[in-house]
Structure formats: structure tokens, C-alpha cells
Amino acid sequence: MKKTNLLPSVQQKIASFDIDSVSETRKEVLKPLIQYIKSKLDQNKPIKLHFICTHNSRRSQFSQIWAQAIAAYSNIQISAFSGGVEVTAFNGNAVSAIENAGFELSSEGTENPVYSVNYAEDTPALKMYSKKFDDKANPQRDFAAIMTCSHADETCPFIPGAEKRIPVKYDDPKAFDDTPQQEQKYEERSDEIATEMLYVFSTVQKQKSS
């Protein structure tokens, strides 16, 4: 696999994350995701990771973007997706956090804008917008459904086409909307998700080479 030419700003940001900061508790949470990715690599099968949250506006969007970028950084080929139970929009505060992390963004539309998120110089941009988990843009079979919020995990006990369901839940930065901590908390959540994705793909890399 040809190494992806990541944007320098994204590469620098990823290199700044400390996977040693991931707690033992969270490592246990992430273990099924690591095992799923490794099993697909061992079978030489496509790796499709579908991150699902209620509104597909914050945590699932962060997860899709970071998983795709960090997999490329780790030289592991995946396809990352995201969806929700309801359609809203890619939240503006989350968009700002992604821009501040070094990604290049442009958008089309107003009510539920489609954001083109560039993370590499030689790879098509990710098309990010809020959509339901079963939207035609998302995989219909042979994927891991990664539940990033408690509400979606509880209200969607069955995800059609998923061969594995993996809860990897994060606190919602929405709790800090319209507060002085808003920008900080969105960036903290983005960084937390990114650090855990780096831990996941770094661990897979080590297991692959051992």
C-alpha cells in the first residue's frame, strides 16, 4: 500500500498525541475494535468502520474523520463512515475543532451543509454531513457498527448489515455549548477521540508486525 501524503498540519497534530495517556479502562473498551480490525487484516478483507451517534453531528463525525486520517498515518487501509438516528447537521463547534486540528475544510449548502474535509494531499476529501446510519452513502453490510453515544446504543439495539457491534462511548461536548468552555471542550473531545484512534491503529500495527 502506497503511503498517504498527509497534510503537514494533520501529520503534526497526530504526532502530538500521547497514546500512553489512554487509561487501562479505555484500553479494555477499545480492545474489541482492535480485534475486529486485526481480524479483517488477517483475512485480507476490507475494513469498514461505521461510527454511529444520535444526531451524527459531533462525536461520530470526529470519529470518522480521525479514524480515516490516523489509519492513513498508520499505513492501514480502511473506509470510515458515520451516521445517526436523526438527521441534523455537522455541528459548527465541531467543525471549528476539526479546522483547528489542521484539516482543510470547505462547505456547500446551508441547512445540512456538506463539508469537504481534506486530510491528505493525494486523497479525495471526506464528504461530511449529518445522515442516518442506513443512508445510501454508508455501508449496508460487512461493517463494524461503533456506537459512540449511549442514546444511540440504547435506541438502536439492532443495526442491519453490521457484522460486529462495538460500543465506544464518549461524553457529548454539547453540554458546553454557549459557555466560556465551549471551544476548549470541543477540542478536548476531538483530541480524546483522536488519541484513542491512534492507540487503536498503533496497537494493530504492532500486532501485525509481531
Side-chain angles (χ1 to χ4, degrees), residues 43-55:
Q43 298 170 67
N44 200 27
K45 289 184 176 180
I47 301 165
K48 293 181 277 189
L49 307 180
H50 188 1
F51 297 92
I52 299 172
C53 201
T54 303
H55 298 117

Side-chain angles (χ1 to χ4, degrees), residues 105-123:
L105 278 72
S106 60
S107 66
E108 295 177 18
T110 53
E111 190 173 332
N112 181 13
V114 177
Y115 289 88
S116 295
V117 180
N118 279 298
Y119 64 94
E121 296 171 353
D122 53 359
T123 304

